[in-house]
Amino acid sequence: MTIVDLVATPLAMRLLVCLGDQVAQLEKPPTNVMLRSGNQVNFLMSLTKNECCSGLAWVRVSQISPSSGNNWPAQDQTPNRCGTQRYAVEMEMGIVRCAPVATAQAIPSDDRWNISAVDTLADFAAMDRAICCFLDGFGGLALPGAWNPIAVQGMCVGGTMNLTASANPCNCVDDESPAAS
């Protein structure tokens, strides 16, 4: 029997497809578009690759909470005899690029910073359009979150945006479940 996640994975994949479609339309699209896991996304660098300078766009599931009552997307605080009726799946989208970096001889020019800021805001627009794409035909509850810039760190600059979407609790496996195979 193979067991797969039927709650968060379909939502994350839907958002990733939308994000990929939207960043492909950017003048300077990120090379890497992927799902990431963990409590935060670390921007990786090696001797042969720098995710920031090649551009990184991601979707990460940041929280899954039972949210059965009228307080969606707040987490349930009282027991429910029927179990979880609905989940609130919080997803983070993010895009990072190479930041203007100072050298021992000079700091980045105003023009380099202006270009970086405009690129970062174009990335915000792509994430905003990805949410519109996600919502098109979704039919469930959804709550877009704020866009937040990421502090310039490790040659990286960018931002993140959250989207919380409702999901039915369908990970229970029995003989009739589509997760059982």
Side-chain angles (χ1 to χ4, degrees):
M1 172 180 7
T2 301
I3 300 175
V4 297
D5 165 50
L6 299 173
V7 173
T9 301
L11 296 174
M13 291 302 296
R14 178 184 181 108
L15 186 56
L16 181 66
V17 167
C18 289
L19 181 61
D21 289 347
Q22 296 307 314
V23 299
Q25 297 176 39
L26 293 169
E27 182 179 332
K28 300 174 214 167
T31 302
N32 306 293
V33 181
M34 64 186 75
L35 288 178
R36 292 296 271 263
S37 58
N39 66 336
Q40 69 180 25
V41 173
N42 294 312
F43 318 126
L44 305 177
M45 287 184 248
S46 71
L47 293 175
T48 59
K49 187 172 182 179
N50 178 329
E51 285 184 326
C52 289
C53 290
S54 59
L56 171 64
W58 73 87
V59 170
R60 176 180 72 88
V61 175
S62 55
Q63 185 172 348
I64 304 169
S65 301
S67 185
S68 301
N70 293 329
N71 261 353
W72 188 91
Q75 182 172 340
D76 290 344
Q77 297 297 314
T78 56
N80 186 335
R81 291 179 189 250
C82 298
T84 300
Q85 301 298 303
R86 178 184 300 152
Y87 282 104
V89 178
E90 183 178 313
M91 297 170 284
E92 172 191 83
M93 284 184 290
I95 301 174
V96 291
R97 304 175 171 279
C98 228
V101 178
T103 66
Q105 293 79 28
I107 62 171
S109 69
D110 294 353
D111 287 343
R112 288 195 60 212
W113 276 113
N114 289 339
I115 290 167
S116 177
V118 168
D119 289 345
T120 299
L121 293 173
D123 294 341
F124 152 71
M127 288 187 273
D128 190 41
R129 289 190 308 272
I131 289 174
C132 293
C133 166
F134 179 94
L135 295 175
D136 187 29
F138 175 57
L141 298 173
L143 180 63
W147 177 86
N148 291 293
I150 294 172
V152 177
Q153 56 181 319
M155 297 174 46
C156 300
V157 66
T160 62
M161 192 169 189
N162 290 341
L163 174 65
T164 303
S166 63
N168 292 326
C170 56
N171 273 328
C172 297
V173 177
D174 58 32
D175 292 336
E176 296 177 20
S177 170
S181 57

